[in-house]
């Protein structure tokens, strides 16, 4: 109850920020400590909190790389960013996160540019009300929200470690998750069922993908620490934001309930604040393997904190990616 009241009132936590803080405010306060010539890749940056994150980071002098399936939308975002920040550098490259082959092509194209990589924000996501499959024959929500981002991070990790070693600036990876991850129970998180569910439910699939995002953070943080890499990885819950995903649910609830619920929703700028905070704040320097909400470190579910579950998911994911890419079926 106390946390709910804190959220509604926008009371600041230990970081000095709270649920009402905006990306503009957070990044402005970090401005003096943001190193120059940073490069960030932001998935899902053609709309919603991804586009707002790209706009705000560009305003603070960060070079932005937008991986996009819809190149037209990406071009519109680039134009909007450069109208506000004429000196901003924005690079657009094509990607379909649900396709491992497409992710692989994107990484090859980005690495060929020989740019540094300081920040990777795995923000892109889909919510599907009906059961769909990717070209790799994986359930679409899981393929896009988790599997594609896992592979993207794997392919770009050496570049991030190299950049951090050469510049002395710690790299930061951010997985955008959701508080909805806590809805998933242990007996409802079976890898094979995530890939090919028998009884599909869109909300459940979305929650499962967001739990997987956090487990990815937990295990990757352990690997990075073991190799003494100057790269950190954290998960964030942006809050319930007025985005396309929320609008897709509107038809399933009454107008009156939606009106009440809408009062609890964050604006896009408020939703992007935690991502920007974790990406830029000196207070998060060296912090890894954590979960943030409302610009403060927070608690995730017991299942999301389960080290053995994280290790198991990591192993199963790596085996699946290897099989799909290097041992394709006829």
């Amino acid at each position: 109850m106390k946390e709910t009241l804190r959220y509604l009132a926008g009371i600041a936590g230990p970081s000095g920020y709270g649920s009402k803080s905006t990306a503009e405010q957070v990044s402005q306060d970090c401005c003096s400590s943001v190193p120059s010539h940073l490069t960030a890749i932001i998935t899902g940056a053609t709309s919603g909190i991804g586009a707002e994150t790209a706009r705000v980071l560009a305003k603070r002098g960060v070079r932005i790389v937008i991986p996009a399936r819809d190149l037209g939308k990406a071009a519109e975002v680039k134009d909007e960013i450069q109208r506000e920040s004429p000196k901003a550098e924005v690079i657009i490259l094509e990607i379909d996160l649900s396709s491992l082959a497409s992710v692989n092509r994107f990484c090859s194209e980005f690495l060929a540019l020989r740019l540094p990589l300081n920040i990777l924000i795995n923000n892109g996501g889909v919510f599907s009300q009906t059961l769909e499959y990717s070209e790799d024959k994986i359930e679409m929500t899981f393929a896009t929200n988790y599997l594609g981002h896992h592979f993207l991070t794997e392919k770009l990790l050496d570049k991030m470690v190299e950049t951090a070693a050469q510049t002395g600036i710690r790299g930061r990876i951010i997985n955008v998750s959701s508080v909805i991850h806590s809805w998933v129970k242990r007996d409802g998180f079976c890898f094979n069922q995530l890939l090919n569910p028998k009884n599909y439910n869109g909300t459940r699939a979305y929650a499962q993908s967001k739990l997987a995002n956090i487990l990815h953070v937990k295990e990757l943080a352990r690997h990075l620490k073991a190799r003494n890499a100057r790269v950190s990885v954290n998960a964030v819950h942006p809050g319930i934001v007025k985005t396309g995903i929320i609008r897709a649910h509107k038809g399933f609830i009454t107008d009156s309930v939606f009106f009440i619920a809408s009062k609890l929703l964050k604006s896009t700028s408020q939703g992007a604040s935690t991502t920007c905070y974790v990406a830029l704040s000196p207070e998060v320097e060296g912090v890894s393997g954590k979960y943030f909400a409302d610009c403060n470190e927070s608690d995730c579910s017991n299942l999301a904190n389960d080290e053995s579950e994280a290790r198991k998911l990591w192993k199963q994911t790596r085996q699946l990616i290897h099989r799909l890419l290097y041992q394709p079926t006829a």
Side-chain angles (χ1 to χ4, degrees):
M1 185 64 177
K2 186 184 295 185
E3 289 302 314
T4 301
L5 292 174
R6 179 184 291 275
Y7 173 85
L8 292 173
I11 298 171
S15 70
Y17 304 109
S19 63
K20 304 299 183 186
S21 299
T22 66
E24 285 270 7
Q25 176 191 351
V26 167
S27 64
Q28 179 62 48
D29 292 346
C30 296
C31 231
S32 61
S33 60
V34 175
S36 58
H37 310 301
L38 295 181
T39 299
I41 292 176
I42 307 171
T43 68
T46 56
S47 64
I49 60 174
E52 176 67 1
T53 301
R55 182 188 72 82
V56 170
L57 293 192
K59 192 172 182 179
R60 306 307 174 208
V62 180
R63 177 195 287 122
I64 304 297
V65 179
I66 300 178
R69 185 174 56 179
D70 189 328
L71 298 180
K73 281 188 179 179
E76 290 174 7
V77 171
K78 177 178 179 177
D79 289 344
E80 289 170 8
I81 289 172
Q82 292 182 328
R83 271 198 296 271
E84 182 180 8
S85 305
K87 294 183 179 179
E89 185 177 354
V90 182
I91 298 168
I92 297 171
L93 294 174
E94 188 171 11
I95 196 172
D96 176 354
L97 280 165
S98 72
S99 163
L100 294 180
S102 178
V103 172
N104 203 26
R105 281 193 299 272
F106 165 83
C107 292
S108 295
E109 290 173 9
F110 172 75
L111 293 173
L113 298 176
R114 300 189 179 278
L115 294 173
L117 181 57
N118 309 94
I119 302 168
L120 172 60
I121 301 177
N122 292 320
N123 167 83
V126 299
F127 172 89
S128 180
Q129 295 172 358
T130 58
L131 178 59
E132 300 177 61
Y133 289 95
S134 70
E135 69 175 40
D136 297 312
K137 298 181 175 58
I138 306 298
E139 188 278 313
M140 187 64 78
T141 304
F142 192 72
T144 304
N145 298 3
Y146 168 69
L147 191 63
H149 282 122
H150 183 108
F151 187 47
L152 178 71
T153 303
E154 177 186 320
K155 294 289 291 183
L156 296 176
L157 192 58
D158 284 347
K159 169 56 71 173
M160 294 197 72
V161 172
E162 174 190 289
T163 299
Q166 290 176 347
T167 64
I169 302 169
R170 180 175 286 273
R172 302 190 187 194
I173 302 169
I174 300 162
N175 279 3
V176 178
S177 182
S178 171
V179 70
I180 200 175
H181 81 272
S182 61
W183 295 9
V184 183
K185 305 306 178 187
R186 191 176 300 275
D187 60 4
F189 196 70
C190 171
F191 192 69
N192 288 335
Q193 280 295 304
L194 300 177
L195 308 182
N196 184 21
K198 286 186 172 63
N199 299 301
Y200 182 77
N201 176 282
T203 301
R204 181 173 60 221
Y206 186 77
Q208 290 167 333
S209 73
K210 292 304 172 180
L211 171 60
N213 289 147
I214 301 177
L215 291 170
H216 178 211
V217 162
K218 298 292 184 179
E219 184 64 7
L220 180 55
R222 189 178 71 82
H223 281 258
L224 289 167
K225 183 178 180 180
R227 65 188 284 188
N228 201 29
R230 288 182 52 80
V231 177
S232 58
V233 56
N234 292 289
V236 303
H237 165 52
I240 310 301
V241 185
K242 301 169 187 174
T243 66
I245 287 177
I246 288 295
R247 287 192 292 273
H249 285 74
K250 189 176 179 182
F252 291 87
I253 55 179
T254 67
D255 289 342
S256 58
V257 172
F258 184 82
F259 176 78
I260 294 169
S262 70
K263 302 307 175 186
L264 305 178
L265 301 182
K266 288 186 174 186
S267 69
T268 303
S269 188
Q270 290 168 344
S273 64
T274 304
T275 302
C276 289
Y277 175 76
V278 177
L280 298 179
S281 174
E283 300 300 318
V284 188
E285 177 75 15
V287 176
S288 194
K290 303 299 182 181
Y291 174 76
F292 288 79
D294 298 331
C295 302
N296 287 274
E297 192 174 323
S298 187
D299 296 323
C300 53
S301 71
N302 289 335
L303 184 54
N305 273 319
D306 190 318
E307 292 182 3
S308 63
E309 197 69 43
R311 281 196 296 272
K312 183 170 72 172
L313 178 63
W314 178 280
K315 182 179 179 181
Q316 291 170 320
T317 302
R318 297 294 293 272
Q319 289 174 341
L320 175 65
I321 290 172
H322 186 272
R323 176 171 63 80
L324 291 173
L325 283 180
Y326 306 116
Q327 299 173 346
T329 56

